[in-house]
Amino acid sequence: MRIKNAVRYKAPIEMLKPWFILMLAVIVIAGCAKESSEAAPSEAKQITVASSTDSGINRLDAASYEGMMQAYPLIYDSLVEYGEKGEIQPALAESWDISPDGKEYTFHLRKDVQFSDGTPFNAEAVKFSVDRWANKPEHDWLLTSKNLKSVEVIDEFTVKLTFTKHYYMTLAELSYPRPFRIMSPTSVEPAGDPEGKFVKAIGTAAWVQAEYIQDVQTVFTPNSTYWGDKSGIDKLTFKVVPDSQSRVLAAQNGTIDIAGGEVSKIPLESLSLLKNGEKTKLATQKGTASYFLVVNDANKAIADKKVRQAINYAVDKQSIARDLFDGTGSPATGILPTTNAYVSEDNNKGYSYNPGMAKQLLNEAGWKDANGDGTVEKEGENLVFSLVLQTEEYPEWKPLAEAVQDQLSKVGIQVELKVLEQASYYDALWKNKDYDLLIYRTYADAFNPLSFLMALFYKTNEAPAVAFGTEQLSSLIDRAAATLTDEERFKAYNDIFQLMNEEAMSVPLFYPDDLFVVNNRISDVQLGATTFRPIVWEKLRLDEQR
Amino acid sequence: MNKALLKRLIWTIPTLLGVTVVTFALVQLMPGDPTDISLRSKGIIPDAVSIAEIRRQMGLDQPLIAQYGAWLNEIFHLRLGLSFQSGLPVTKELALRLPATLRLMGASFAVACILAVPAGIVSAWYKQQHLDHAVRFLSILGASLPHFWIGAMLIYLFCIRTNLLPMMGDGGIMNYIMPSITMAAGMAAVYARMLRAGMLEAIADPHYKAARARGIKQSRLIVQHAIRPALLPFITVIGNSFGYFWGSSIIVEAIFSWPGVGRLMIDAIFNRDYPVIQAITLLTAACVIVVNLAVDLIYYWLDPRIRAEGGRYEEL
Amino acid sequence: MRNFNIQRIRKMAGAIGNPLGNKIASSGLYILLMVIVVGILAPMIAPHDPLAVNLTAKLLPPSLEYPLGTDQMGRCVFSRIISGTMASLVMPLTAMALILLIGMPLGVIAGYYGGVFDRIIMVVVNTMLSFPNLLLAIVLTGFLGPGTLHILLAVVAVWWAKYTRIVRGMTLSLKEKPYVKASRGCGSSDVWLMFRHIVPGTVPTVLVFSALDVGRMILAISGLAFLGLGVAPPSPEWGAMLSDGRHYLQTAPRLLLSPGLAILLVMAACNLLGEGLRDALDVKR
């Protein structure tokens, strides 16, 4: 065909006009199908926080595990709150008495409190909440629920909880984000029935639910009947932003005001941008969690204490903190940072970086690089470990694992990285132990040290420990749990940490800081003592001039 | 004439059944025990007794065939089960998310057409000239870039550098621009190429030459005799792009925090939320089948010469 | 809907021997060959060990020592890109080979014999084709877990049906050709017929589609990497590099750019090759 001939016609572009108009119309219709809900910047003092998951406020039963952890304390108060280094502070309970045998807890409640819907807060309301969780099988992992014998209303503002056994963590457990917080009897239907069906989240805490669009955002407004200090802002919006990179960008252009912590982790790579950004600053404090390697002693090589110690010596914790993570945390020494209760400089020494020592220990254990291929071997077999990790929740574990891989290769240990998706990763950790080394994090704040040790390092006659366990360690943990005084407890934990260190039961890697990026227009950012109450939201202030 | 059509309709049924078998089998293939996972996702540490009890309640102790039958019956009554994660009925979760994804797909389709129709026409008209080369180069570029690369670049240009467009979430029309371009880029290239080929074929056709010889108005000539015949095969691509858009929505929704089915899906996969995964896979496949059937019917209706026999084997 | 005649088949068959008869196709082929050569020679020409971590030299800008700078682990990006060629290309190419190995025989047999076997195959094929590629690949890799082998499996499981359908459709029309019938009349065996007359007839179309699909697989694999379902680190696969690099969009955009361009180059080559072959071999849509 002769296309050239066609050129004498006008260019067809003109004829495309109807197409353009039609298509524009389509896209406009598509776009307008949903009314623009662009949040107009009104006078209302509003702060938007990024969260990586939905708040789940519509099923935020105080005695359930359905919602975002940080959402519970916004709505519900607990009897006592967890402070720095495990200091228990009064909340709904002004004071409390513990019987000498540690089995009876009597709480004296505040008298000036009511639930956000006007329901009076009193001993009956506490009893309702306690009845809702008491002895339920799903809370058996918390001894406070499992060992609860009775709850008695002494008078209008006094409640007594009686347990079958003494357990020193009871107060700490009561401060957990769930399931022990106090919910209004009117939250369920029929009202006041502990077995009632949950209908609405009603509590005594600083915030109430205002608006909720699932997977988009949850808006909280100050609780007008709140017993504590009045909030400095009018609206607190949790906007769901699942992608960490999007959170950084949103913080930079001011779409969100706060991101970080466990609510919405910000990638460490972006911190330099946010540190002294045009619109952003950082708020940090030392964290209470740590990243460490779980070692699987089912592997014959790892069962040898010298090999475990060699791995500890081979990891350059300083370089990880300084070079890899740009000083956004501290080099790890022991399994838990000293920001935790009962952890001190003395019982938390850890292993220094000493590749020479590592090689020597490997040598003593019979692992030598005889054939010169760079990997040590014993009886003709190379020393190869699998290192399992996940990146959905902790994207920084990938570079961390690569750094560890490189450092171990320098002492002749070959490491194969296995990045699993979240569910398989947790299967590997909790169920099938399909790993030699695995990156994990310790629990944080109120869950440390006892809940964490129980969960990972406690071995019973029926079941082996999830991470690493010996009979000796289990009996020490039992001893710590049974202690009645702080002094005894300190001694017990000293023994525990020293044993874990000496036996190299784990490979501590890094103590990450709690990191938040905050818009410059916000002042008075006070970070909380726990990951489930990461920021004291009601204390936030907005600078007017910006 | 309707015999072929009827055959086409009837053969949809085994395909639909096949889809249910594959969806059901997927969950059987998955590592891990659904009961265990459903308990753990609620923060409960399961023990052997409670697992056995729940397995019995859920009918998981029945033989596979019986389980499949029971499941099929549930599906038939549109009961898709409860999400492990949220505890809500899956149908409700889907109803909540589906509109956002459909809107995004609609917008992406529109964008793909806006980009592709002029490009295809211009490219065919100026065959082997600079404009054609430029269009073809651009379309290869569009089809060659990973979604998240395009998405990241758009975000960089329009949010970081200039702050012209909102970065994430569903909302006003401005929110649609970047995700729909990201999603449409690959498809626009395919559309443009199809249109170009179709138009070239039409122009080469004796009908076109005859029409031109008759000296009919140029605009009519092009629309009636070059573009219109080219649009016919175009319709079949729509059926295929539906599946393509659906697949890419998983990635695009992750980039732009779009509250749609794609994100529900990825969360479900990472959390092993079996009922949700099953429901979405099933829904997607059923939609693809229905859309393809519809396309075939339209095609049949527009062009009776087409024999349904032999199948359409086209790209994608 | 497809008309074949002997001359056309012969023309096609002749063209296969000389795909460079088309300029576009040959440019695609040349680019691809060049990339493969670079990939093979990578261990010799890479200035650094692509896996050597050096945390004190991370995120360096391009320099004489590091032509494309270093990544977040202080590894040489240039060395990683060229060493990653094989990792990035071998997987889709292997997958393609497996897909053809599974898809083509099934298609030929189904089309040639027809009957119940054909019906069953077609139901399976139509079922598989009802699932969007990317969706099914993500679900499968999500369940199997990331890793080269699993990704390969997922890609093959997702893509084979398309080729069975294409080949079966072509077989249906090819077996009615007079020369095939004639050959059968002369007493040729079925196997001979299939190998001698039918398979060669399907090759041009299959070639075009495979060239295009290899490109698509590279995209799909990079999409999996984006979702955290990529190959195991520290392997320098391009999709994984790209996915890592996106965290540095603002601070070090080159980490996003260089693997992006590498993918683009190969994708473009595949597209050129596919499109060129399509024109040269006169394969219809």
Side-chain angles (χ1 to χ4, degrees):
Chain A
M1 87 222 84
R2 289 271 144 260
I3 291 296
K4 280 280 176 202
N5 292 354
V7 175
R8 41 188 179 91
Y9 286 114
K10 282 187 293 178
I13 290 175
E14 275 177 44
M15 266 159 297
L16 294 171
K17 269 189 207 151
W19 263 103
F20 281 117
I21 293 165
L22 179 74
M23 286 310 160
L24 259 175
V26 172
I27 198 170
V28 166
I29 291 163
C32 296
K34 182 167 181 173
E35 266 308 296
S36 165
S37 58
E38 201 65 31
S42 59
E43 294 96 84
K45 290 181 198 153
Q46 173 179 324
I47 287 178
T48 309
V49 183
S51 69
S52 42
T53 54
D54 183 54
S55 71
I57 189 91
N58 60 338
R59 40 184 199 277
L60 201 75
D61 187 331
S64 77
Y65 301 89
E66 305 281 349
M68 180 174 83
M69 243 210 271
Q70 292 77 12
Y72 291 88
L74 289 170
I75 301 275
Y76 305 114
D77 281 317
S78 50
L79 290 171
V80 291
E81 291 289 356
Y82 185 92
E84 256 168 58
K85 269 221 134 185
E87 187 201 340
I88 302 295
Q89 292 161 342
L92 287 178
E94 268 175 333
S95 61
W96 52 92
D97 309 310
I98 306 172
S99 66
D101 64 357
K103 291 185 182 169
E104 288 172 19
Y105 286 68
T106 311
F107 294 96
H108 307 285
L109 308 178
R110 293 185 72 101
K111 301 185 173 72
D112 55 349
V113 180
Q114 51 177 310
F115 289 100
S116 58
D117 66 342
T119 310
F121 166 78
N122 52 29
E124 284 298 336
V126 173
K127 184 176 187 311
F128 158 76
S129 284
V130 173
D131 283 339
R132 204 165 164 77
W133 51 254
N135 309 121
K136 295 273 164 61
E138 69 259 38
H139 307 313
D140 269 0
W141 65 288
L142 299 162
L143 294 182
T144 302
S145 162
K146 193 179 183 184
N147 294 346
L148 184 78
K149 203 160 109 194
S150 68
V151 47
E152 285 164 74
V153 175
I154 306 287
D155 63 42
E156 197 187 351
F157 293 105
T158 314
V159 181
K160 187 165 91 179
L161 300 185
T162 310
F163 299 94
T164 53
K165 261 191 229 155
H166 163 66
Y167 177 52
Y168 92 83
M169 284 282 280
T170 299
L171 288 176
E173 284 193 357
L174 287 176
S175 77
Y176 284 5
R178 62 217 175 166
F180 300 137
R181 291 184 172 248
I182 308 300
M183 180 166 77
S184 168
T186 52
S187 276
V188 300
E189 229 152 54
D193 177 2
E195 304 300 323
K197 185 178 178 299
F198 173 80
V199 271
K200 191 169 192 277
I202 301 167
T204 56
W207 302 90
V208 293
Q209 166 191 358
E211 186 202 325
Y212 173 58
I213 309 170
Q214 195 182 342
D215 295 310
V216 178
Q217 62 179 24
T218 313
V219 181
F220 295 90
T221 50
N223 172 7
S224 55
T225 66
Y226 181 51
W227 51 276
D229 294 336
K230 286 276 164 275
S231 164
I233 51 172
D234 304 327
K235 239 182 180 186
L236 185 65
T237 304
F238 280 78
K239 199 175 184 130
V240 185
V241 190
D243 182 56
S244 62
Q245 200 55 32
S246 308
R247 293 198 282 271
V248 172
L249 300 172
Q252 280 184 300
N253 76 5
T255 317
I256 56 171
D257 298 311
I258 297 179
E262 295 289 313
V263 197
S264 51
K265 285 181 66 76
I266 36 178
L268 297 179
E269 306 87 48
S270 308
L271 289 178
S272 59
L273 289 167
L274 302 169
K275 201 177 225 162
N276 294 307
E278 204 181 313
K279 290 184 181 164
T280 55
K281 57 189 174 193
L282 287 185
T284 64
Q285 69 177 9
K286 292 253 170 278
T288 52
S290 89
Y291 297 161
F292 68 102
L293 292 182
V294 178
V295 294
N296 185 356
D297 57 349
N299 178 310
K300 275 208 201 87
I302 289 177
D304 187 338
K305 174 173 145 188
K306 286 195 168 133
V307 174
R308 297 197 301 270
Q309 287 176 330
I311 299 173
N312 269 291
Y313 278 121
V315 174
D316 187 351
K317 277 85 56 177
Q318 295 285 346
S319 167
I320 286 173
R322 186 187 57 223
D323 304 324
L324 185 68
F325 290 138
D326 298 316
T328 57
S330 327
T333 50
I335 182 97
L336 289 169
T338 51
T339 42
N340 285 288
Y342 312 113
V343 184
S344 66
E345 296 288 344
D346 287 334
N347 64 22
N348 201 42
K349 287 225 161 56
Y351 289 76
S352 57
Y353 172 55
N354 190 341
M357 188 68 152
K359 278 184 198 156
Q360 191 190 324
L361 282 165
L362 285 175
N363 240 315
E364 286 169 21
W367 295 95
K368 296 184 179 103
D369 185 13
N371 59 9
D373 65 349
T375 305
V376 293
E377 65 270 334
K378 183 177 178 179
E379 287 150 19
E381 253 185 82
N382 277 344
L383 189 54
V384 183
F385 293 139
S386 64
L387 170 52
V388 166
L389 64 147
Q390 59 135 328
T391 55
E392 278 117 57
E393 291 177 294
Y394 296 91
E396 66 270 29
W397 283 359
K398 190 170 165 189
L400 179 58
E402 287 175 293
V404 169
Q405 179 185 43
D406 180 66
Q407 288 166 2
L408 292 186
S409 78
K410 289 187 176 137
V411 299
I413 301 173
Q414 200 182 325
V415 172
E416 282 166 4
L417 301 184
K418 270 167 78 183
V419 185
L420 299 182
E421 36 76 43
Q422 206 173 319
S424 312
Y425 167 85
Y426 283 120
D427 277 357
L429 172 64
W430 295 112
K431 285 171 68 189
N432 51 36
K433 280 204 114 171
D434 189 9
Y435 61 87
D436 298 321
L437 305 170
L438 175 141
I439 302 189
Y440 192 50
R441 54 159 175 83
T442 66
Y443 297 172
D445 45 68
F447 301 89
N448 284 342
L450 192 58
S451 290
F452 165 68
L453 292 175
M454 290 291 271
L456 274 104
F457 292 91
Y458 190 75
K459 174 183 174 178
T460 61
N461 289 333
E462 301 93 61
V466 169
F468 196 103
T470 60
E471 258 123 60
Q472 197 190 354
L473 182 62
S474 291
S475 70
L476 281 177
I477 293 174
D478 282 337
R479 205 183 89 205
T483 49
L484 282 163
T485 66
D486 244 15
E487 208 179 325
E488 289 172 63
R489 225 161 280 151
F490 243 116
K491 270 170 73 188
Y493 281 116
N494 268 336
D495 293 347
I496 291 176
F497 295 133
Q498 261 147 28
L499 177 69
M500 291 178 73
N501 194 53
E502 167 58 26
E503 289 291 318
M505 293 183 181
S506 67
V507 185
L509 300 174
F510 180 60
Y511 299 155
D513 286 346
D514 292 337
L515 294 167
F516 293 87
V517 51
V518 180
N519 194 291
N520 284 331
R521 69 196 183 104
I522 300 175
S523 52
D524 290 357
V525 182
Q526 187 184 328
L527 298 186
T530 60
T531 45
F532 48 86
R533 222 177 134 76
I535 290 177
V536 188
W537 307 108
E538 46 279 14
K539 293 226 166 135
L540 296 174
R541 295 281 181 279
L542 284 177
D543 287 344
E544 301 301 332
Q545 66 269 30
R546 289 187 75 104
Chain B
M1 158 237 161
N2 279 335
K3 210 174 149 199
L5 197 61
L6 201 68
K7 222 166 141 190
R8 172 79 177 82
L9 275 172
I10 288 171
W11 277 104
T12 307
I13 296 167
T15 309
L16 273 170
L17 270 178
V19 165
T20 62
V21 172
V22 171
T23 315
F24 182 75
L26 270 181
V27 170
Q28 309 302 321
L29 286 177
M30 276 187 257
D33 178 359
T35 29
D36 189 76
I37 292 161
S38 83
L39 286 177
R40 273 175 202 279
S41 69
K42 294 194 185 80
I44 301 167
I45 315 279
D47 61 277
V49 181
S50 58
I51 286 190
E53 173 58 23
I54 290 172
R55 286 183 69 84
R56 208 181 48 76
Q57 280 173 17
M58 288 167 76
L60 292 173
D61 52 347
Q62 304 281 318
L64 268 187
I65 289 285
Q67 282 187 47
Y68 173 68
W71 179 73
L72 203 59
N73 185 42
E74 291 289 299
I75 299 298
F76 216 71
H77 293 90
L78 285 180
R79 287 193 296 260
L80 299 175
L82 298 180
S83 156
F84 289 170
Q85 277 302 105
S86 66
L88 298 175
V90 176
T91 30
K92 204 174 150 194
E93 289 259 9
L94 277 177
L96 214 65
R97 308 282 204 126
L98 204 53
T101 297
L102 290 179
R103 282 198 305 271
L104 179 60
M105 283 168 63
S108 305
F109 178 65
V111 168
C113 289
I114 288 177
L115 294 174
V117 168
I121 291 171
V122 164
S123 176
W125 200 256
Y126 298 105
K127 192 194 172 194
Q128 304 299 357
Q129 295 176 35
H130 292 312
L131 216 51
D132 179 30
H133 293 315
V135 166
R136 294 183 80 181
F137 176 74
L138 278 177
S139 78
I140 285 187
L141 208 67
S144 302
L145 292 169
H147 282 121
F148 66 89
W149 202 84
I150 301 177
M153 285 301 154
L154 287 176
I155 289 176
Y156 185 61
L157 287 178
F158 294 108
C159 300
I160 306 297
R161 274 292 152 97
T162 54
N163 205 3
L164 284 177
L165 293 171
M167 203 177 71
M168 55 195 188
D170 191 358
I173 182 164
M174 299 299 266
N175 291 64
Y176 282 79
I177 296 177
M178 291 197 298
S180 51
I181 289 178
T182 307
M183 203 147 137
M187 261 299 133
V190 175
Y191 289 0
R193 202 170 55 219
M194 289 228 42
L195 208 62
R196 175 181 183 274
M199 265 186 77
L200 288 180
E201 209 170 293
I203 290 172
D205 196 86
H207 282 105
Y208 175 83
K209 287 181 181 152
R212 205 174 63 176
R214 268 187 276 136
I216 60 170
K217 229 177 101 197
Q218 187 220 7
S219 58
R220 221 184 125 207
L221 176 75
I222 293 179
V223 172
Q224 285 276 47
H225 296 276
I227 298 180
R228 212 173 143 235
L231 284 180
L232 205 57
F234 198 72
I235 292 172
T236 62
V237 193
I238 295 174
N240 296 307
S241 36
F242 183 76
Y244 172 86
F245 281 142
W246 201 287
S248 31
S249 73
I250 296 180
I251 288 172
V252 174
E253 288 182 8
I255 304 172
F256 294 100
S257 304
W258 197 267
V261 179
R263 239 179 65 199
L264 184 65
M265 182 68 172
I266 205 75
D267 284 349
I269 290 176
F270 286 149
N271 293 307
R272 295 272 165 81
D273 196 339
Y274 296 74
V276 174
I277 298 171
Q278 269 186 330
I280 297 179
T281 324
L282 195 64
L283 178 78
T284 310
C287 283
V288 170
I289 291 173
V290 169
V291 168
N292 273 317
L293 188 66
V295 166
D296 278 2
L297 291 180
I298 294 172
Y299 209 82
Y300 215 90
W301 171 61
L302 286 179
D303 190 354
R305 288 170 302 171
I306 299 295
R307 291 266 160 273
E309 190 58 49
R312 306 173 285 109
Y313 37 95
E314 62 292 302
E315 203 176 317
L316 276 166
Chain C
M1 70 191 261
R2 194 175 285 254
N3 286 317
F4 283 97
N5 52 45
I6 300 167
Q7 286 88 342
R8 200 148 148 206
I9 302 277
R10 290 215 175 112
K11 206 173 90 194
M12 284 177 189
I16 304 158
N18 177 22
L20 308 183
N22 177 291
K23 262 202 282 183
I24 296 181
S26 358
S27 59
L29 190 69
Y30 283 137
I31 297 177
L32 222 48
L33 284 177
M34 199 183 74
V35 170
I36 290 174
V37 167
V38 169
I40 293 170
L41 295 180
M44 278 169 262
I45 50 181
H48 296 269
D49 176 357
L51 304 182
V53 172
N54 181 2
L55 288 179
T56 47
K58 67 175 185 174
L59 298 174
L60 292 180
S63 62
L64 271 181
E65 198 189 351
Y66 300 106
L68 294 174
T70 59
D71 71 358
Q72 69 280 5
M73 305 297 295
R75 297 173 295 214
C76 171
V77 173
F78 179 70
S79 306
R80 282 176 74 73
I81 294 269
I82 58 174
S83 312
T85 311
M86 286 332 250
S88 315
L89 277 182
V90 163
M91 204 177 356
L93 289 177
T94 319
M96 201 64 233
L98 285 175
I99 287 164
L100 294 183
L101 226 56
I102 298 168
M104 283 184 72
L106 279 179
V108 172
I109 294 170
Y112 188 82
Y113 290 107
V116 183
F117 181 70
D118 179 36
R119 287 300 180 199
I120 294 171
I121 292 286
M122 280 323 281
V123 167
V124 175
V125 163
N126 284 333
T127 303
M128 293 311 286
L129 289 176
S130 306
F131 298 100
N133 286 350
L134 195 57
L135 180 112
L136 201 56
I138 290 172
V139 174
L140 284 175
T141 338
F143 292 166
L144 296 171
T148 312
L149 185 69
H150 292 162
I151 295 174
L152 190 74
L153 272 178
V155 168
V156 172
V158 164
W159 249 282
W160 68 272
K162 177 177 166 183
Y163 285 85
T164 303
R165 177 141 107 179
I166 293 173
V167 171
R168 174 203 175 252
M170 299 190 71
T171 308
L172 277 183
S173 59
L174 283 172
K175 75 171 181 186
E176 299 303 324
K177 297 292 167 204
Y179 68 94
V180 179
K181 285 188 164 164
S183 175
R184 185 160 32 191
C186 299
S188 308
S189 75
D190 287 348
V191 177
W192 166 258
L193 269 176
M194 282 189 250
F195 270 99
R196 182 69 187 79
H197 294 299
I198 296 187
V199 171
T202 63
V203 164
T205 311
V206 166
L207 262 184
V208 170
F209 279 100
S210 2
L212 294 171
D213 272 331
V214 166
R216 292 209 185 94
M217 281 173 205
I218 295 177
L219 281 197
I221 292 168
S222 77
L224 290 174
F226 167 79
L227 295 172
L229 300 170
V231 300
S235 163
E237 196 265 328
W238 295 340
M241 288 176 71
L242 201 52
S243 175
D244 285 347
R246 90 199 158 94
H247 296 295
Y248 301 90
L249 178 61
Q250 295 180 66
T251 43
R254 62 179 178 278
L255 290 185
L256 201 61
L257 222 58
S258 22
L261 289 177
I263 290 184
L264 185 65
L265 187 72
V266 171
M267 281 291 303
C270 289
N271 272 318
L272 290 173
L273 187 64
E275 295 297 321
L277 282 179
R278 191 200 291 272
D279 286 352
L281 306 178
D282 198 15
V283 172
K284 280 212 185 172
R285 285 182 300 278

